[in-house]
Amino acid sequence: MSDIEAALATAKSFLLQSPPGELNDVYADLVTLVAPLLPGGQSQLDEALAPALRQYAAEQLTVVDLPEGKGKTLLTPVSIVEGMEDAEGRHVAPKAGSTFAWDALKATASALSPLSPSPDADTEALRSALDKLLAAYTANHYAEGASAVFALPDPAYPAPTRAPATALAEAEAGAGGTAAETETETETEAADAAAETADAAQEALPREGVETANGEAAPPPAEEAAAEAQAQAQVEAQDATAEGGDAAMEEATPAPAAAEEGTAEVAAPQEEDQAQEEPEQLPGRPSRLFALYLVGNKYNPTNYWTGRWRSTYTLDWAKGTLEGTAQVNIHYYEQGNVQLSTTLKSSTPLAASPPAEAVIAALKASESSLQRQLGETYAALSDTSFRGLRRALPKTRSKVDWDKAASYRLGQQLGGGGAAGAQ
């Protein structure tokens, strides 16, 4: 690994460990330290760290103000629209029913566009109910809190490969082709039968003519019989075609060649334009799996501390299970650098297909339990770990009066006694 690659790898590592609310400060320091080492300067650094910025924004549940006054949403690992590899990726804003472009370098959202395909109606109704209740809970319990609920891909509902309308059109086209082939075969068979009947009649009847009462020669009987037989065969062929349905009758009726060619010339471009203007749309995919995210941020740089609480819950609505993970990061940096980073997990069983209110009630109970665990941990640290680092009192078990420290005989007071104390 070259020196430049090593420097960029180290910069990425520092960036991903940025404390809550201090990403811009860390990035500014990296520009000062690393950019002079790169041939391309800050532009090369920006390009190299763009993936780390996107990763950090999603992992830390960054709160985003949507353009056009569409409210707020969260950047999360499941909100990312796949296939976006540049600095301006796209994320889903489920509450707004849109996707938006996210510039990782500028930390801004732009270019709203509707979700495509539109969400499944039943899935969206359940997701929306969970979203509203979770937003109310987050606003009541977390400072500067925000939340979002996303529908996840559900293995119980496979992803569609094409729209039903396309399949129906193909089926109709196939049926039409089969009907046309059948009608063509019927017409061919009828013509062959008429020809055979005419030949047989011509061979059975005599060829010489018969004189009429006026002495005029009548047409040869064989020719009359052949003409009648051919006409009868055509009538039978038309009757057989009529039994095939109205569609067969319409196609069996001849149309002027010029009219057919003109219609074909006009219709073909219209069909091509319609195919270009109406791309295939997949239907919304149903789901009963949901991801619930909430985040609470508290920044107090004037007193040298910042903190963030992140919670992620996965709900299997059909089975009635709620799995949760809470991550807490706190940074104190007044004349030092102390960080707390902890992860707590929970699992709550629910009834199958629970109402949205029951889900949020279980989530609230889980959050309260996690906070009690943190309180108990802090108490244990204060009583044991911190006291092991430094004693609260000297061995005399009494506080030192530092105003009188100059008059103390420290050796006597601390048990050294006599000459040892004088020395």
Side-chain angles (χ1 to χ4, degrees), residues 218-230:
E223 294 178 0
E224 290 181 356
E228 291 177 1
Q230 186 174 3

Side-chain angles (χ1 to χ4, degrees), residues 6 67 278 288 343 378 382 410-411 417:
E278 297 180 1
R288 297 299 178 265
T343 301
Y378 293 152
S382 177
L410 296 179

Side-chain angles (χ1 to χ4, degrees), residues 136-181:
Y137 166 77
T138 304
N140 290 334
H141 292 81
Y142 292 90
E144 302 179 17
S147 63
V149 179
F150 299 85
L152 302 176
D154 193 339
Y157 300 90
T161 56
R162 57 181 178 175
T166 303
L168 181 60
E170 292 179 359
E172 291 177 350
T178 303
E181 292 174 359

Side-chain angles (χ1 to χ4, degrees), residues 240-416:
T241 305
E243 292 176 359
D246 295 336
M249 285 288 293
E250 292 177 359
E251 295 193 8
T253 303
E260 290 181 355
E261 293 176 358
T263 304
E265 292 176 358
V266 174
Q270 291 179 351
E271 293 177 356
E272 292 179 359
D273 295 343
Q274 186 176 5
Q276 294 177 358
E277 293 174 358
E278 297 180 1
E280 181 178 354
Q281 292 292 336
L282 297 179
R285 182 178 176 183
S287 178
R288 297 299 178 265
L289 298 179
F290 299 91
L292 292 77
Y293 292 92
L294 63 90
V295 60
N297 298 306
K298 191 68 174 178
Y299 307 144
N300 195 343
T302 57
N303 290 319
Y304 305 101
W305 64 265
T306 61
R308 175 176 294 142
W309 177 292
R310 291 171 287 156
S311 291
T312 303
Y313 289 86
T314 302
L315 170 67
D316 190 328
W317 186 79
K319 295 181 180 179
T321 60
L322 184 66
E323 305 290 335
T325 301
Q327 296 172 287
V328 183
N329 297 89
I330 301 173
H331 184 213
Y332 286 91
Y333 51 98
E334 184 177 8
Q335 297 181 353
N337 183 14
V338 179
Q339 294 195 50
L340 167 68
S341 180
T342 185
T343 301
L344 304 172
K345 295 183 178 295
S346 65
S347 180
T348 306
L350 300 169
S353 304
E357 292 80 3
V359 174
I360 300 305
L363 182 147
K364 181 179 179 180
S366 176
E367 294 284 290
S368 299
S369 175
L370 296 177
Q371 292 184 17
R372 283 195 300 270
Q373 293 181 41
L374 280 178
E376 294 171 358
T377 301
Y378 293 152
L381 286 173
S382 177
D383 294 339
T384 58
S385 300
F386 289 159
R387 288 188 178 184
L389 294 175
R390 185 178 66 180
R391 292 181 180 146
L393 294 173
K395 290 183 178 180
T396 59
R397 308 298 299 173
S398 61
K399 293 183 178 180
V400 176
D401 188 351
W402 294 106
D403 294 333
K404 299 181 180 179
S407 61
Y408 283 166
R409 294 181 179 179
L410 296 179
Q412 294 178 357
Q413 294 291 331
L414 297 178

Side-chain angles (χ1 to χ4, degrees), residues 7-370:
L8 291 175
T10 302
K12 179 179 178 180
S13 177
F14 275 111
L15 193 65
L16 293 176
Q17 298 179 55
S18 300
E22 302 174 43
L23 177 64
N24 293 337
D25 297 332
V26 174
Y27 198 87
D29 292 341
L30 291 176
V31 170
T32 303
L33 296 173
V34 180
L37 305 177
L38 306 178
Q42 184 175 349
S43 60
Q44 183 178 354
L45 181 66
D46 292 342
E47 182 179 357
L49 294 185
L53 288 171
R54 293 198 304 270
Q55 179 182 345
Y56 182 87
E59 291 178 351
Q60 297 296 320
L61 307 184
T62 303
V63 182
V64 176
D65 291 316
L66 296 175
E68 304 177 11
K70 296 295 184 178
K72 297 180 181 292
T73 191
L74 296 182
L75 301 182
T76 72
V78 302
S79 71
I80 301 172
V81 178
E82 298 296 333
M84 298 297 177
E85 301 298 335
D86 56 0
E88 292 187 359
R90 293 196 72 84
H91 287 256
V92 176
K95 187 182 299 185
S98 306
T99 65
F100 62 94
W102 169 253
D103 190 325
L105 296 173
K106 299 179 181 178
T108 57
S110 62
L112 279 176
S113 63
L115 281 176
S116 180
S118 300
D120 173 70
D122 294 338
T123 302
E124 178 59 21
L126 182 54
R127 190 212 63 79
S128 179
L130 292 169
D131 198 319
K132 291 179 181 178
L133 293 174
L134 182 61
Y137 166 77
T138 304
N140 290 334
H141 292 81
Y142 292 90
E144 302 179 17
S147 63
V149 179
F150 299 85
L152 302 176
D154 193 339
Y157 300 90
T161 56
R162 57 181 178 175
T166 303
L168 181 60
E170 292 179 359
E172 291 177 350
T178 303
E181 292 174 359
T182 303
E183 292 161 6
T184 303
E185 293 175 358
T186 303
E187 293 176 359
T188 304
E189 292 174 358
D192 293 341
E196 292 176 0
T197 304
D199 295 339
Q202 188 171 3
E203 292 176 359
L205 296 175
R207 294 180 178 275
E208 50 280 352
V210 178
E211 293 183 357
T212 63
N214 298 327
E216 297 177 355
E223 294 178 0
E224 290 181 356
E228 291 177 1
Q230 186 174 3
Q232 183 65 25
Q234 291 179 354
V235 171
E236 291 177 357
Q238 292 178 356
D239 293 340
T241 305
E243 292 176 359
D246 295 336
M249 285 288 293
E250 292 177 359
E251 295 193 8
T253 303
E260 290 181 355
E261 293 176 358
T263 304
E265 292 176 358
V266 174
Q270 291 179 351
E271 293 177 356
E272 292 179 359
D273 295 343
Q274 186 176 5
Q276 294 177 358
E277 293 174 358
E278 297 180 1
E280 181 178 354
Q281 292 292 336
L282 297 179
R285 182 178 176 183
S287 178
R288 297 299 178 265
L289 298 179
F290 299 91
L292 292 77
Y293 292 92
L294 63 90
V295 60
N297 298 306
K298 191 68 174 178
Y299 307 144
N300 195 343
T302 57
N303 290 319
Y304 305 101
W305 64 265
T306 61
R308 175 176 294 142
W309 177 292
R310 291 171 287 156
S311 291
T312 303
Y313 289 86
T314 302
L315 170 67
D316 190 328
W317 186 79
K319 295 181 180 179
T321 60
L322 184 66
E323 305 290 335
T325 301
Q327 296 172 287
V328 183
N329 297 89
I330 301 173
H331 184 213
Y332 286 91
Y333 51 98
E334 184 177 8
Q335 297 181 353
N337 183 14
V338 179
Q339 294 195 50
L340 167 68
S341 180
T342 185
T343 301
L344 304 172
K345 295 183 178 295
S346 65
S347 180
T348 306
L350 300 169
S353 304
E357 292 80 3
V359 174
I360 300 305
L363 182 147
K364 181 179 179 180
S366 176
E367 294 284 290
S368 299
S369 175
L370 296 177

